[in-house]
Amino acid sequence: MIGLGVMGFNLVMNIADHGFSVAGYDKDPAAAARLRPEAKQGDVRGTADLREFIAMLRRPRAVMLLVPAGAPVDSVIDALLAHLQPGDLIIDAGNSHFRDTDARARNLEAKGIKFLGVGVSGGKEGARHGPSIMPGGPEEAYERVRLVFESAAAQVNGEPCVTYLGPGSAGHFVKMVHNGIEYGMMQLIAETYDLMKRGLGLSDDELHEFYAGWNQGESEGYLLEITGQIFSTRDVKRGPRLIDEIRGVAQQLGTGTWTSQSALELHVPIPTIDAAVAMRNLSVLESERSAASAALARPALPFPGDREAFLKQLSRALFAGTVITYAQGLALLAAASDKYAYGLDLSAVARIWRGGCIIRTAVLEDIRGAYHNQPRLPNLLLDPELAKRIMAHQEDLRGVASAAAQLGLPAPGLMASLGYLDSYRSSWLPANLIQAQRDYFGAHTYERVDAKGAFHTVWENAPDI
């Protein structure tokens, strides 16, 4: 393992716990020195000397990288190439862009070095006790480390949350979309928080109770679980709840943006995820928002309806928005699988997301079943059972979106989810007007409903009624 930060260190400990011998390298001698004393079992060694590290490994070598995406990955690979030999294997387990993964695989293949791009989700606890692992690359290379990955991965109903996903950058593309879905889900939860805090005036104690309660229902999942805990955590410095001492500025590392960019390239609509990325960007404009709150002030309005009924509606709207977000992300994976010849099994993707990863939720079992029954399902919303559940929740989503608009509270994720649902279920959309406009100003032509072919009208000279 190269890179003994939070993820790398804990994954080493996890692998060692399952009886495998592991060598760790980090430029920081203190990080390398931590390994052996903290390992409970297995042969674990650490070093800050790259030559010594390589000498610890038996051939053919398997070296995993957990370093920041981008230039650091290339730097480490370049340093390794002076010591590795044909037949050795490099595994990039960071959040690399899938196109970088493809380029590295081609370059290393020319040198006889195998390369796997592997997504790992679960944070510190997942790395230590069982993450979701998303590997892509040559299948024979995956077979060399399959037992290690299956042992270290989270287990759900006796099944490891890892499987070979496909060639090339399949693993990193799946991880990228996983993170895009994560952005969407976090934004939806944040919007329910805002509606309860500013819209209904709920206290942190009440918010804790609601999120903990929702986590016992149909929306059960890791993000709701930690959200409930966040609202019960006190600030050791000042005494009140820690959540109220945190600036409302959300950072990002790029995977959400990459997801939106890839969806645009593949012409796959993912508006909930796009809204989540945009809201993180908007959150950073703190001084502008402060000025705008005065310049564009609107009196705060009291919530006009039945509070208890609205809270139930909010919970059901969150579930609907979550499933719609999954639908968008999985539709993107289906399109990418066709475009890049990944051969993804979306049932298997849902299966390995059930445990260990950040977006694990109870509904993933139903999503797994939907793609098991219809492997070529073009969109999750076309699964009969899930469609029935979503349509049973649609009025809740409408009610919440309407209430947010009336209160003047931003809920772009929930609104985008509703807009996606209504657009996707519409057999007719007003795109005929857009195409007419394009033909008017740019002679881009249009198609007719009553004849095949491309048509153009000189609109300025066309007869009026």
Side-chain angles (χ1 to χ4, degrees), residues 200-245:
L200 300 182
L202 298 191
S203 68
D204 290 334
D205 283 338
E206 291 172 312
L207 289 164
H208 162 72
E209 291 177 8
F210 276 109
Y211 285 118
W214 290 358
N215 192 45
Q216 303 303 311
E218 62 184 352
S219 293
E220 176 192 353
Y222 175 74
L223 285 170
L224 271 187
E225 176 188 338
I226 66 171
T227 300
Q229 294 175 3
I230 285 168
F231 283 102
S232 64
T233 301
R234 293 195 174 277
D235 179 20
V236 295
K237 287 187 175 182
R238 298 179 58 182
R241 298 299 165 88
L242 179 57
I243 184 65
D244 299 316
E245 304 303 315

Side-chain angles (χ1 to χ4, degrees), residues 194-390:
D194 192 10
L195 287 166
M196 288 191 284
K197 180 181 175 64
R198 291 197 291 174
L200 300 182
L202 298 191
S203 68
D204 290 334
D205 283 338
E206 291 172 312
L207 289 164
H208 162 72
E209 291 177 8
F210 276 109
Y211 285 118
W214 290 358
N215 192 45
Q216 303 303 311
E218 62 184 352
S219 293
E220 176 192 353
Y222 175 74
L223 285 170
L224 271 187
E225 176 188 338
I226 66 171
T227 300
Q229 294 175 3
I230 285 168
F231 283 102
S232 64
T233 301
R234 293 195 174 277
D235 179 20
V236 295
K237 287 187 175 182
R238 298 179 58 182
R241 298 299 165 88
L242 179 57
I243 184 65
D244 299 316
E245 304 303 315
I246 297 175
R247 287 175 62 204
V249 175
Q251 304 295 333
Q252 53 187 316
L253 295 176
T255 47
T257 300
W258 296 347
T259 304
S260 290
Q261 290 170 338
S262 294
L264 287 170
E265 291 173 2
L266 295 171
H267 307 291
V268 178
I270 55 167
T272 307
I273 296 170
D274 292 340
V277 174
M279 286 303 288
R280 291 202 191 189
N281 292 333
L282 192 57
S283 77
V284 176
L285 305 179
E286 198 172 16
S287 60
E288 289 184 43
R289 289 188 290 106
S290 179
S293 69
L296 306 173
R298 175 180 185 264
L301 301 177
F303 180 76
D306 183 325
R307 291 163 59 89
E308 294 303 316
F310 181 72
L311 286 165
K312 292 178 181 177
Q313 211 173 33
L314 197 58
S315 172
R316 290 167 61 83
L318 177 60
F319 174 80
T322 297
V323 175
I324 291 168
T325 304
Y326 276 122
Q328 294 169 24
L330 288 160
L332 176 55
L333 285 182
S337 183
D338 290 341
K339 174 71 173 180
Y340 305 126
Y342 290 147
L344 293 175
D345 177 349
L346 296 184
S347 175
V349 171
R351 175 178 66 78
I352 67 173
W353 284 351
R354 293 177 306 160
C357 76
I358 303 302
I359 64 171
R360 61 185 186 266
T361 60
V363 77
L364 277 166
E365 190 62 60
D366 300 311
I367 294 173
R368 176 195 184 185
Y371 284 105
H372 176 77
N373 294 335
Q374 299 184 71
R376 298 295 298 175
L377 185 69
N379 191 293
L380 193 60
L381 299 182
L382 295 178
D383 173 71
E385 292 304 314
L386 283 169
K388 189 183 302 180
R389 294 177 69 181
I390 289 297

